[in-house]
Amino acid sequence: MTTTIILLGGDGIGPEVAGAAVQALAAVGRRFGRAFAFEERPIGGAALRAGRPPLPRETLDACRHADAVLLGAVGDPLFDAEPAARRPEAGLLELRRELGLFANLRPIRIWPGGEAASPLRPDRVAGLDLLIVRELTGGLYFGEPRGESADRQQAFNTMRYSCAEVERIAEVAFRQAAARRCQVVSVDKANVLETSQLWRATVERVGARHPAVRLEHQYVDSCALALVLEPRRFDVILTENLFGDILSDQAGGLTGSLGVLPSASLGDGPGLFEPVHGSAPALAGRDAANPMGAVLSAALLLRHALGAEAEAQAVEAAVAATFARRCCTPDLAGPLGVAPARCSQVTAAIVAEITSPAK
Ligand code: NAD
Ligand code: IPM
Ligand code: MN
C-alpha cells in the first residue's frame, strides 16, 4: 500500500531540508519495502509570490486527504511589512487550525558526543532528552478579538483557553510522559493570567487520572531559567502555544543549533511534520542548512502517522551515527571544531546509514 505524503517545501531553506527528509523516507521505503508517493504543493511565500494566498485552497484540500504532511519552513523577508493575514506564516497557522493540529510534540535530545556542541558545560547536558508538548491551535495565536484600533494607535490580541482545549493537550502530555520518565512539568503564568489559572486547575484534574505520572507546575519565567541551569531535570514540558514557541527555541539552543529539532503536529486527521526552525533566509540556496531537524521530523512521521516504530528508529539511528562521525553542517561543525560538510553531504551520509547501518 502506498503512503501519500504532501510535500510543502515553503520558503528559504525549507525546500532543501524537506528534500533531505524525502530522501530519508525513500531510503526507508527501499530498506523496509514501503512505498511513498510525494505530492508537492505551494505554501507561504512560495504561494504568495505566485499571486496565491499563503495557503491555497488546493494545498489545504490535498493535505486533508493525505496520509501525512511534510513541511520545510515558511517565512520570507519580502513580506515582513505585510499585515499578519498576508504573510507566509499565516499559511502555516491556517493549516494548523484547519487540520485541527492541537498537539505539537517537540523532542529535544543531545546525541552521544553532542554535548560538545552545546553552549552549556558538557556535564550539564550529556544525555539530555526532553519533550515539549505545545498546545498549537489556541491561545494568543488564534484568540479573538484581535486587530488594531481605527486610529492605529493601539493593537490587541486575546489570550483565551477553554477547559476542553487544555484537557485534550494535557491528556497528550500525560500519555507521552507515561511512556517516558513519568514526569510532567506544566508551564504557565498563573501568578498573573486567568488563562493560566484555568490551565493549572484543568491540568491538575487530568493529572489525577494519571497517578503514575508526577505532575509539577512551574511559571514560564522560572522554567526558562531552569532550562539553562538544569535542563536534564525535565522529562515532559506541557505548555500553551506562545510559551511553547519560545521555550522550544531556547531548548533547541541547548543542542548548539536549532537545525536539529524536529516536530510533530497531531490532531484527529493527517499529521504535519516539520522541523522547529524557520526559513533561515541567510542560509537559503547555499547547501549549508542542517537537514537533521527535517530528517528527524520524517522519523516522527513514521512513528506517529504510520505507527512504523522500527522505521522511525532506523532514521534516528542513522542521524545519530552521522552525528557520531562528526559529519555536520557549519552550525554544528563550528562548535564541534570539525570541518563542515554540506547539507547534501550530510543527507547522503544519513541515507547511506539508513540503507546499510554500520555494525
Ligand atoms: P530561523 O529558525 O529561520 O533561524 C534562527 C537561527 O537558526 C538562524 O541563525 C539560522 O541561521 C539558524 N538555523 C535555523 N535553521 C537552521 C538549519 N536547518 N541549519 C542551520 N542553521 C539553522 O528563525 P528566524 O530567523 O527568526 O526566522 C526566519 C523566518 O522563518 C521568519 O520569516 C519566521 O517567521 C520564519 N519561521 C518559520 C517557522 C516555520 O516554518 N515553522 C519557524 C520559525 C520561524
Ligand atoms: C514555529 C514558528 C511558527 C510559530 C511561526 C512561523 C508561525 O515559529 O513553528 O515555531 O510561531 O508557531
Ligand atoms: Mn517558533
Side-chain angles (χ1 to χ4, degrees):
M1 215 176 76
T2 300
T3 300
T4 303
I5 298 175
I6 302 301
L7 184 64
L8 309 175
D11 307 313
I13 61 171
E16 301 168 45
V17 298
V22 167
Q23 289 187 51
L25 286 170
V28 165
R30 290 191 297 273
R31 176 164 150 205
F32 290 87
R34 284 180 174 270
F36 296 104
F38 297 95
E39 294 179 16
E40 277 186 69
R41 294 286 187 282
I43 192 172
L48 286 164
R49 282 170 185 273
R52 314 290 314 281
L55 180 66
R57 186 65 212 222
E58 82 265 11
T59 296
L60 174 60
D61 285 344
C63 292
R64 284 194 206 282
H65 295 105
D67 293 306
V69 183
L70 191 60
L71 179 114
V74 294
D76 183 331
L78 186 67
F79 304 101
D80 274 355
E82 293 290 320
R86 285 202 298 276
R87 294 179 53 118
E89 293 85 346
L92 175 57
L93 295 171
E94 194 183 337
L95 183 61
R96 290 172 179 171
R97 192 189 61 219
E98 289 298 318
L99 294 183
L101 302 171
F102 69 91
N104 184 218
L105 310 185
R106 300 190 156 185
I108 294 117
R109 279 164 77 171
I110 301 253
W111 303 99
E115 56 279 355
S118 176
L120 295 195
R121 283 206 322 251
D123 60 297
R124 295 280 169 107
V125 291
L128 179 88
D129 179 4
L130 69 88
L131 173 67
I132 295 182
V133 176
R134 172 189 178 197
E135 201 289 326
L136 202 61
T137 51
L140 267 179
Y141 277 61
F142 296 97
E144 296 287 346
R146 64 184 293 165
E148 52 180 16
S149 60
D151 65 3
R152 307 188 73 178
Q153 295 305 297
Q154 288 182 25
F156 49 93
N157 293 91
T158 302
M159 189 186 267
R160 185 185 296 274
Y161 270 108
S162 68
C163 292
E165 285 177 295
V166 180
E167 196 168 332
R168 65 182 182 175
I169 190 68
E171 193 60 47
V172 170
F174 282 100
R175 269 191 252 124
Q176 290 291 321
R180 297 169 48 98
R181 300 192 303 279
C182 290
Q183 187 214 81
V184 169
V185 175
S186 175
V187 173
D188 62 38
K189 189 73 184 171
N191 48 348
V192 178
L193 303 175
E194 282 80 1
T195 44
S196 282
Q197 285 153 12
L198 181 119
W199 179 279
R200 196 174 273 220
T202 307
V203 171
E204 272 294 322
R205 281 202 302 280
V206 176
R209 303 202 291 256
H210 298 270
V213 177
R214 190 154 45 88
L215 169 63
E216 283 171 63
H217 303 276
Q218 189 165 24
Y219 298 134
V220 61
D221 47 354
S222 161
C223 176
L225 176 68
L227 268 176
V228 172
L229 290 184
E230 41 172 1
R232 279 185 310 196
R233 90 172 189 79
F234 295 103
D235 178 20
V236 173
I237 292 176
L238 161 65
T239 193
E240 65 88 47
N241 204 344
L242 181 65
F243 298 162
D245 179 46
I246 297 167
L247 293 178
S248 55
D249 268 32
Q250 186 183 339
L254 300 170
T255 69
S257 172
L258 197 51
V260 300
L261 255 59
S263 89
S265 303
L266 308 174
D268 295 328
L272 168 67
F273 301 86
E274 53 162 328
V276 170
H277 66 74
S279 57
L283 295 180
R286 293 173 43 204
D287 199 13
N290 193 329
M292 288 176 170
V295 170
L296 291 169
S297 299
L300 295 182
L301 184 158
L302 290 163
R303 175 171 295 129
H304 295 285
L306 308 182
E309 183 57 33
E311 288 88 335
Q313 286 185 19
V315 172
E316 289 167 348
V319 171
T322 303
F323 187 82
R325 286 175 35 212
R326 296 285 188 267
C327 176
C328 292
T329 43
D331 51 327
L332 289 175
L336 288 172
V338 299
R342 298 187 179 285
C343 175
S344 52
Q345 291 171 318
V346 174
T347 304
I350 295 170
V351 165
E353 280 290 341
I354 294 172
T355 308
S356 40
K359 79 171 167 26

